[in-house]
């Protein structure tokens, strides 16, 4: 008997519908799989790196604020006048150094002189922005024993122990810097400590916001934040959790929270896997699937590969190069925009950090590091193009005596004035003026003749005479003068087309010292 096996058949229309459904499921699965396994993890990694960079920049900003307070505190504490004041209690010292304008110019809110037994000798609180008197009591150690931890261990050998940090006061949280009082040579017996206070108020977070390019505010109350979300400042977390905000704890010497900073990250949220755009896109695909599969490779796969390739290529590129944001698919455009925003933010932060690392904060010209970097570039360029270049070492005469006579604050004013005069002599784009260190400056002059060099150096001496900054203890003149040593490098005389910068600096330095031995307020030029 013949056995007929029946087979279920379907119509062409049913086959077409099933095929279209299969293509739809396949396509949408590919889109959401890429978004889930590739796009979102990569974006998460980029956001995490950006958040880490923002926290690093915040740490740098806080350290800079503490360092600024330390420098002011250190300059006053390591000063023979302060050292003698502890014994003499000279009223003239108080009148000259603790007037209200001192608080305003230094940006501090409290100055406290304590003897070696931590007993207050002279204290003054004055709000440097509101211009009102303040009364502090943190040095009442019977009442606040933990505050005794802000003092470093005293020494009698050379040095000036210091402690920096944060402390609670009755006027709110504050930064403090404590330095053992020594003479100008950092020697002498233990005569006590100098403490300076700066209250943590709105200007503090405003400056940090400017440095980090993020929004930073104080968080209150502290008890509303889980301990797991708190980050101690200066301590790099093992893993950065992507969140709209980070909470950075400023702690006192005992490890107790003094204040909490709330940092709003530039990007603190990962896009949802399914959003309005993806739903609309999928719905459109379901209607036009029979056309999409014809151009699938051209409109989807190739752009995705191109975007992924561009993202990977840019991982090792230092210079910012934006991704193409013109895509038919909205999701791909959104990814490109987010990555571009991340890269631009990191580039801007790198630029700020680079400028801060290569610029002298007092004179606003290049520092030693920036000078050496620039000299290496210009040196090679001049040698390659056979262009003569000149390095000038400039030193302010008797500057230590000036500081001892008028104080470090007036010394900083003089340094800035001299830097302005020297910088004005750098007329061409290739000319460089930098602060080499202390009271020493350096000029790089490209393609200048010996006659023009003599005129320029004589002009600097003349400008210093016109500026006439009074110097009460200078045996050279009654105003601040400079001694200069210049060395001119001729590429045709350089062996193997290279010369060490240390050799150039040494010749310029020797020429400068020869100018000093010749009576100062003059210059010596060597080749």
């Amino acid at each position: 008997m013949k056995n007929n096996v029946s087979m279920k058949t379907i119509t062409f229309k049913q086959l077409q519908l099933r095929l279209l459904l299969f293509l739809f499921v396949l396509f949408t699965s590919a889109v959401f799989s890429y978004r889930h396994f590739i796009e979102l993890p990569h974006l998460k990694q980029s956001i995490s790196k950006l958040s880490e960079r923002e926290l690093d920049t915040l740490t740098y900003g806080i350290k800079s604020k503490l360092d600024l307070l330390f420098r002011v505190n250190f300059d006053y504490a390591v000063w023979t006048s302060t050292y003698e004041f502890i014994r003499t209690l000279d009223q003239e010292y108080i009148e000259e150094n603790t007037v209200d304008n001192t608080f305003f110019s230094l940006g501090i809110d409290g100055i406290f002189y304590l003897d070696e037994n931590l007993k207050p000798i002279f204290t003054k609180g004055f709000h440097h922005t509101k211009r009102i008197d303040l009364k502090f009591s943190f040095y009442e150690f019977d009442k606040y024993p933990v505050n005794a931890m802000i003092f470093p261990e005293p020494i009698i050998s050379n040095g000036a122990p210091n402690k920096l940090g944060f402390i609670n006061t009755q006027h709110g949280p504050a930064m403090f810097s404590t330095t053992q009082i020594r003479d100008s040579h950092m020697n002498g017996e233990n005569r006590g400590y100098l403490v300076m206070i700066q209250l943590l108020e709105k200007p503090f977070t405003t400056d940090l916001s400017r440095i980090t390019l993020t929004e930073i505010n104080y968080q209150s109350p502290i008890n509303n934040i889980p301990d797991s979300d708190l980050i101690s400042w200066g301590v790099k977390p093992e893993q950065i959790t992507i969140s709209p905000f980070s909470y950075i704890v400023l702690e006192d010497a005992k490890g107790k929270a003094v204040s909490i900073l709330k940092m709003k990250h530039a990007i603190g949220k990962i896009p949802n896997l399914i959003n309005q755009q993806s739903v609309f896109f999928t719905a459109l695909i379901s209607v036009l699937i029979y056309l999409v599969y014809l151009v699938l490779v051209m409109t989807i796969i190739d752009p995705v590969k191109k975007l992924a390739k561009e993202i990977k290529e840019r991982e090792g590129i230092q210079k910012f190069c934006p991704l193409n944001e013109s895509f038919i698919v909205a999701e791909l455009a959104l990814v490109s925009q987010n990555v571009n925003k991340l890269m631009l933010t990191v580039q801007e932060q790198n630029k700020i950090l680079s400028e801060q690392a290569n610029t002298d904060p007092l004179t606003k010209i290049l520092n030693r590091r920036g000078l050496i970097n620039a000299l290496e570039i210009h040196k090679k360029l001049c040698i390659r193009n056979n262009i003569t270049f000149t390095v000038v070492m400039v030193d302010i005469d008797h500057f230590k005596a000036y500081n001892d006579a008028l104080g470090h604050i007036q010394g900083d004013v003089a340094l800035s004035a001299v830097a302005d005069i020297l910088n004005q002599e750098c007329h061409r784009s290739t000319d460089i003026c930098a602060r080499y260190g202390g009271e020493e400056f350096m000029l790089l002059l490209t393609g200048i003749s010996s006659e023009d060099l003599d005129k320029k150096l004589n002009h600097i001496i003349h400008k210093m005479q016109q500026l006439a900054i009074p110097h009460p203890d200078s045996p050279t003149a009654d105003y601040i003068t400079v001694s200069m040593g210049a060395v001119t490098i001729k590429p045709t005389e350089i062996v193997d087309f290279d010369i060490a910068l240390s050799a150039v600096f040494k010749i310029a330095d020797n020429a400068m010292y020869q100018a000093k031995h010749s009576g100062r307020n003059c210059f010596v030029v060597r080749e």
Side-chain angles (χ1 to χ4, degrees), residues 298-430:
M298 181 178 63
T299 58
I300 301 299
I301 302 300
D302 286 348
V304 167
K305 290 181 178 180
K306 182 179 179 181
L307 176 60
K309 182 179 178 182
E310 289 183 357
I311 292 175
K312 185 176 181 179
E313 289 175 347
R314 280 157 176 77
E315 289 180 354
I317 297 178
Q318 297 295 325
K319 186 176 180 180
F320 173 64
C321 182
L323 297 172
N324 178 28
E325 297 180 359
S326 300
F327 292 98
I328 297 175
V329 182
E331 265 68 18
L332 298 180
L334 179 62
V335 172
S336 180
Q337 292 167 6
N338 286 336
V339 173
N340 282 338
K341 185 176 181 181
L342 288 171
M343 294 172 66
L344 182 60
T345 301
V346 171
Q347 192 76 8
E348 291 175 350
Q349 292 177 338
N350 284 338
K351 181 179 179 181
I352 291 174
L353 291 175
S354 177
E355 290 176 352
Q356 292 173 340
N358 291 284
T359 303
D360 179 56
L362 174 64
T363 59
K364 308 305 180 185
I365 60 177
L366 287 180
N367 58 17
R368 185 168 184 169
R369 175 181 176 181
L371 168 69
I372 292 176
N373 292 338
L375 277 176
E376 285 289 355
I377 296 173
H378 282 279
K379 177 195 71 173
K380 295 176 182 177
L381 182 63
C382 290
I383 294 175
R384 187 183 308 118
N385 296 315
N386 195 23
I387 300 174
T388 299
F389 64 97
T390 300
V391 174
V392 183
M393 184 77 78
V394 184
D395 184 81
I396 301 176
D397 297 326
H398 309 293
F399 191 67
K400 184 180 184 303
Y402 184 86
N403 272 340
D404 290 342
L406 301 180
H408 291 278
I409 294 179
Q410 192 62 36
D412 288 347
V413 174
L415 285 172
S416 297
V418 174
D420 289 340
I421 287 179
L422 297 177
N423 200 32
Q424 290 170 9
E425 296 300 318
C426 297
H427 302 296
R428 292 173 294 185
S429 60
T430 54

Side-chain angles (χ1 to χ4, degrees), residues 24 28 32 276-289:
F24 170 76
T28 53
F32 288 111
Q276 185 177 2
Q277 289 179 323
S278 61
V279 171
F280 173 78
F281 179 70
T282 305
L284 181 63
I285 290 298
S286 66
V287 176
L288 304 176
I289 192 66

Side-chain angles (χ1 to χ4, degrees), residues 464-482:
M464 290 300 301
Q465 183 179 7
Q466 286 184 328
L467 184 63
I469 301 175
H471 192 325
D473 289 345
S474 173
T476 303
D478 58 359
Y479 58 90
I480 285 183
T481 60
V482 296

